[in-house]
DNA sequence: ACCTTCGGGACACCCCGTTTAT
DNA sequence: ATAAACGGGGTGTCCCGAAGGT
């Protein structure tokens, strides 16, 4: 399914490659859609939140935590990630206009992801390490959207390059979120990476 | 096809809604794939380049040109765009891993789009209105990726909001590309939009 | 399929007339070709060998056994056989140049048929009731080819006549295979049937 | 068409390989069937009769004439003939049960072929070189049927062998048609070819 | 009770022989 | 005489239910 998308993935193929029979599937799920829902809830949600939530909850500057996660995103970007992109994003792009059940579930995961980021940003603001005139919710939306955009571009190009560029852009953006006193300390001359 | 994706779109349905018969289609194209290729070349390419290339070629500050296009992106974002996202991006996400013919064609359009942006940025650098330590190619990749990410997020949310957020982020990013003298002239206090 | 040939026979028609659905068919066979292969192996092979092998294996003069089978061929030649010819031959003529799988399977059945005849002829030679200077393999090829030719001619003419003529010719030929002492005993005057 | 049969031969393919457009075809023939009819009348009929009629009309022993034609049949049996068989026979086998127009036309050609043989045989009887108790019409049917059977067997086997065997059988048969005085002159010991 | 084989049609894409504008 | 258009039907695949074995 990673390869062809949900709709174009034959149940027969899925089941054969999973070593499961059709009877077993329909005993548990009842339809292909419900299987897809379960994938979102049981696979994609833990995968996304497991990567982002713990670092963001840990004490310390949340901007640095995000930067470290972004670093890991680049490191983890193996061949499959490049060829097939972010599974959550793929499903979202494909199924959102088609099936409302998918859309709401995927939006739920995305919302939890953004909420984790936004909460961390707000904590940073409370702790004085993030500029106070930043809208934490918008920042979370921007960060996640740029990442998904970067995954998509990398998938299309079959190369990490575009994803790296987006991550660099995000890092630059994150630096700009620091209070001016920090910002001054970091001479603008270092920011030519964009 | 805008709705269900390429693979899930029945040819019969496409033809019926287009008022075309199967014979007519297969006289011209020979396969569903070739029809898709033609859509990329004859519809999506002109749509994308027609929106971006002319303003970027006009004399004047290219950053301002991009900002104006982005403004128009928001304005144009009607219901369909929100529900179905950027057709080029949709096709790219869906078909890139499935069919190499699609992937290369779509990457071709994206490349032309990015080239137009990069050329404009370089012209701005030559004219002294864009910071010289900026990699024009990377900037173009970043801009396009953020836009596609924003379209995708808007599509999933069924709302312009996320797209607007991404555009705001891009505007902020564009301002940061201006040479420092300009940057100083624009007080940082105005940039809290993020 | 008897009527139109394998390629021109619509699966839908076959299935409808057989009271079977496509799901059932493709559960067992996977393709129209494989269904055809199974027909050759499971239907035509038993039909041909069931008619020829047992009489040829029974003790007694094999030439007389063949003559009796030929007599039965004429008797069995009902309307269908006349209109549609020998199914094995029809398939062979149609599919041999088109599909190698068909060709080898059909040749296999033909070979078994010829082998049964040739073995019987050799037994007759060992028992002294068939001329020793006869090539049993060639005799088998000739007999089967004349029969198929006769079926084809009868099918084209929509009449048993040509098949009967060929059978008469074969009977004449079989008589000539008897050792001379037998041959002398059967006055040539009886052989004007040709 | 030689390869796949009439029904399985696409008009598009035929026309493309012939360098003709569809309009031209339908200007002359009006349907695929009529094109097939024309092939029978204009191509197959001359081909068959051109090979058999002239030698049979020439003065001399008709049995020897037939033997010479049979010799040429073997000589002419190139690869195509072996792979695709006798075109007339192929068409007859395929189309006789399907389309009455084909059947009658093909039977017409076959009848002319048999008539030519039968007439020659009767001339031989009148001239005393063919046994008088032979039914010339039946002999013609037998000869043509054995030949078609031999072509079919050769096509299935992808080898001349079976055709040669059938021709040998026919030669043996033709010798048996000579009046006894001739037959005695040819010691039976020479006839072990079968 | 759990699972598997088998079966059911609807529909996918494609290609066919043919006819209508040009 | 041609290119374009026409739909009906080709095989194969889809997702799913139902009968039946363990």
């Amino acid at each position: 399914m990673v390869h062809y998308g949900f709709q174009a993935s034959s149940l027969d193929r899925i089941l054969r490659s999973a070593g499961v029979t059709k009877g077993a599937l329909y005993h548990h799920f009842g339809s292909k859609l419900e299987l897809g829902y379960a994938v979102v809830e049981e696979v994609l949600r833990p995968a996304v939140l497991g990567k982002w939530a713990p670092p963001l909850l840990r004490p310390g500057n949340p901007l640095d935590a995000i930067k470290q996660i972004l670093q890991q995103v680049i490191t983890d970007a193996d061949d499959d990630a490049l060829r097939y992109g972010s599974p959550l994003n793929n499903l979202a792009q494909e199924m959102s206009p088609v099936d409302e059940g998918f859309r709401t579930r995927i939006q739920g995961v995305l919302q939890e992801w953004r909420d984790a980021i936004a909460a961390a940003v707000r904590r940073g603001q409370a702790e004085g390490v993030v500029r106070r005139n930043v809208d934490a919710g918008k920042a979370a939306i921007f960060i996640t959207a740029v990442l998904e955009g970067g995954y998509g571009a990398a998938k299309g190009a079959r190369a990490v390059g575009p994803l790296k560029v987006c991550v660099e852009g995000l890092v630059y953006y994150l630096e700009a979120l620091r209070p001016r006193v920090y910002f001054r300390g970091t001479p603008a001359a270092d920011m030519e990476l964009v």
Side-chain angles (χ1 to χ4, degrees), chain A:
Chain A
M1 193 186 76
V2 166
H3 199 134
Y4 297 103
F6 180 76
Q7 299 177 98
S9 289
S10 157
L11 257 189
D12 284 330
R13 223 187 314 275
I14 294 174
L15 294 170
R16 201 180 315 127
S17 81
V20 177
T21 66
K22 236 178 277 202
L25 171 72
Y26 279 90
H27 187 72
H28 289 292
F29 292 104
S31 87
K32 191 190 177 190
L33 267 181
E34 287 187 25
L35 169 64
Y37 295 168
V39 168
V40 174
E41 298 292 347
E42 313 295 337
V43 179
L44 299 183
R45 174 194 301 270
V48 170
L49 297 184
K51 195 170 196 171
W52 284 79
L56 291 175
L57 289 175
R58 263 194 289 274
N61 190 323
L63 300 181
D64 291 330
I66 296 176
K67 279 174 67 177
Q68 267 191 313
I69 301 175
L70 290 179
Q71 191 56 46
Q72 199 195 339
V73 162
I74 296 287
T75 310
D76 292 354
D78 59 344
D79 274 7
D80 276 5
L82 294 180
R83 291 179 67 94
Y84 306 132
S86 148
L88 185 65
N89 192 39
N90 291 349
L91 257 187
Q93 298 309 312
E94 177 187 3
M95 298 306 294
S96 283
V98 175
D99 180 80
E100 186 64 14
F102 258 114
R103 196 186 72 85
T104 51
R105 279 168 180 80
I106 292 169
Q107 286 304 111
V109 177
L110 282 174
Q111 198 54 51
E112 288 188 58
W113 181 16
R114 290 170 184 150
D115 285 348
I117 295 175
V121 169
R122 284 194 198 93
R123 178 172 56 82
Q125 288 174 322
E127 295 174 1
V129 295
V130 176
R131 286 173 54 182
R132 292 226 151 70
N133 60 349
V134 165
D135 183 322
K138 287 184 174 180
I141 290 175
F142 185 70
I143 292 169
T144 56
V146 174
L147 265 182
E148 298 298 10
Y151 266 117
K155 171 174 142 190
R158 284 193 195 277
V160 238
L163 181 57
K164 273 187 181 162
V165 169
C166 288
V167 164
E168 288 173 5
L170 275 184
V171 169
Y172 182 77
Y173 168 82
L174 290 172
E175 294 301 333
L177 296 188
R178 298 188 197 272
R180 223 139 327 153
V181 54
Y182 287 84
F183 188 68
R184 276 200 197 110
T186 319
D190 293 333
M191 296 183 190
E192 71 261 30
L193 42 81
V194 196

